[in-house]
Amino acid sequence: MFARYEVKGRSMEPAFRQGERVLLFKTRKVKIGDVIVFSNPGMDCIKRVCAINGDSLFVEGDNKLHSTDSRDYGAVRKEQVIGKVILNY
Amino acid sequence: MVMRIAKLLRIVDMASKPKTAHAHCDIPCGVYEADSATHAAQTVYVLTEKLLKLEPPKDEKARLAYAHTVSRIAGIKEKFAQVCKQEILILWTDYFKPEHLQKYPGLHDTIWKAAKQCSAVKREISLEAAQKLKDMVAEIAIVFAATKK
């Protein structure tokens, strides 16, 4: 139901800094503005949901100049979503 | 309450390490740099210089060796002009983002012209054209470096 993650990388700054830890609520019910962790080939990624079109989520990093996200690799499918961040600690 | 949960989670983390969520800036593929394009443009310049310095031999027997050398240098010049174009286009399509273009509105035009210049240096044996390509790539490299700060 819950999962703990450590953030690696800087594309979610300033909201989530490198090394910060987050608590995830495992769900695929997400809305625009939610920060989600999703499964990308070979790694789990953390990004913010910017747009939703059916089962396709457009995700971006908060630190847009230093983020590779849906602007580069396109939409993320809902089935890739692991959950949404409910707490950082 | 939240503070207590956070404290508890930190204790749990000591016992069991959390997973990693990548907010990495360069997923999924990689590393971007402008050095490869710069190197390729410089190579084109040097090879153009070499071609221009070659003199056709008067000796009939040396003609074949001369033709062979010209052919080799021209072939490598062609190859590096293509490498230069490819490296420029990788930065254009994979690295630069709308935010970069907002900050550097001339970037699209600069890259487009630089890619065309890569074709121009293939067609010609011109130091002027090769220098122009070097200047254009240097301009792109400056913007690239600025976006990395």
Side-chain angles (χ1 to χ4, degrees), chain B residues 63-74:
Chain B
R63 289 254 172 98
L64 184 61
Y66 169 78
H68 182 243
T69 304
V70 169
S71 167
R72 286 194 67 205
I73 296 176

Side-chain angles (χ1 to χ4, degrees), chain A residues 3-12 21-23 26 37 40 42-47 60 64-69 71-73 87-89, chain B residues 2 5-7 9-10 12-14 16-28 32 93-100 103 147-149:
Chain A
R4 292 165 295 119
Y5 279 88
E6 180 175 333
V7 178
K8 190 176 177 185
R10 299 191 155 158
S11 79
M12 287 304 287
R21 291 172 182 193
V22 296
L23 182 66
K26 289 190 175 179
V37 173
N40 226 19
M43 62 176 74
D44 295 338
C45 298
I46 181 168
K47 298 285 171 191
E60 280 185 9
K64 289 186 174 43
L65 285 179
H66 295 283
S67 175
T68 300
D69 45 44
R71 292 170 297 169
D72 305 286
Y73 48 71
L87 178 74
N88 52 329
Y89 62 97
Chain B
V2 173
I5 295 170
K7 196 175 174 183
L9 287 168
R10 278 192 285 270
V12 174
D13 284 353
M14 281 192 273
S16 151
K17 209 178 166 209
K19 293 179 188 171
T20 300
H22 291 265
H24 200 278
C25 62
D26 283 331
I27 54 168
Y32 299 104
T93 55
D94 295 357
Y95 174 73
F96 287 120
K97 300 196 177 347
E99 292 84 349
H100 297 142
K103 200 169 178 184
T147 63
K148 282 286 188 183
K149 283 176 186 167

Side-chain angles (χ1 to χ4, degrees), chain B residues 51 53-70:
Chain B
L51 278 173
K53 279 180 186 168
L54 282 178
E55 283 188 27
K58 288 172 185 160
D59 179 5
E60 188 72 32
K61 286 180 183 170
R63 289 254 172 98
L64 184 61
Y66 169 78
H68 182 243
T69 304
V70 169

Side-chain angles (χ1 to χ4, degrees), chain A residues 23-48:
Chain A
L23 182 66
L24 204 72
F25 175 56
K26 289 190 175 179
T27 178
R28 283 178 181 158
K29 287 181 185 171
V30 297
K31 60 183 189 303
I32 291 170
D34 282 346
V35 174
I36 62 166
V37 173
F38 61 95
S39 169
N40 226 19
M43 62 176 74
D44 295 338
C45 298
I46 181 168
K47 298 285 171 191
R48 193 178 295 277

Side-chain angles (χ1 to χ4, degrees), chain B residues 17-145:
Chain B
K17 209 178 166 209
K19 293 179 188 171
T20 300
H22 291 265
H24 200 278
C25 62
D26 283 331
I27 54 168
C29 64
V31 179
Y32 299 104
E33 42 80 29
D35 294 346
S36 298
T38 305
H39 173 261
Q42 176 64 21
T43 303
V44 168
Y45 183 89
V46 170
L47 293 173
T48 303
E49 237 177 4
K50 283 188 185 296
L51 278 173
L52 288 169
K53 279 180 186 168
L54 282 178
E55 283 188 27
K58 288 172 185 160
D59 179 5
E60 188 72 32
K61 286 180 183 170
R63 289 254 172 98
L64 184 61
Y66 169 78
H68 182 243
T69 304
V70 169
S71 167
R72 286 194 67 205
I73 296 176
I76 298 169
K77 177 169 80 75
E78 187 96 357
K79 180 183 161 188
F80 275 89
Q82 187 59 32
V83 168
C84 189
K85 184 187 275 187
Q86 186 182 328
E87 292 297 330
I88 290 168
L89 295 181
I90 286 171
L91 291 180
W92 194 20
T93 55
D94 295 357
Y95 174 73
F96 287 120
K97 300 196 177 347
E99 292 84 349
H100 297 142
L101 287 159
Q102 274 174 4
K103 200 169 178 184
Y104 303 96
L107 191 58
H108 264 328
D109 195 52
T110 305
I111 291 175
W112 181 57
K113 284 178 178 163
K116 283 191 169 295
Q117 193 62 22
C118 290
S119 301
V121 296
K122 284 186 196 175
R123 284 192 304 270
E124 301 171 34
I125 308 174
S126 159
L127 267 188
E128 195 186 344
Q131 182 62 50
K132 196 174 171 186
L133 177 62
K134 273 177 64 178
D135 294 343
M136 287 169 153
V137 171
E139 199 180 331
I140 294 165
I142 287 168
V143 173
F144 175 81

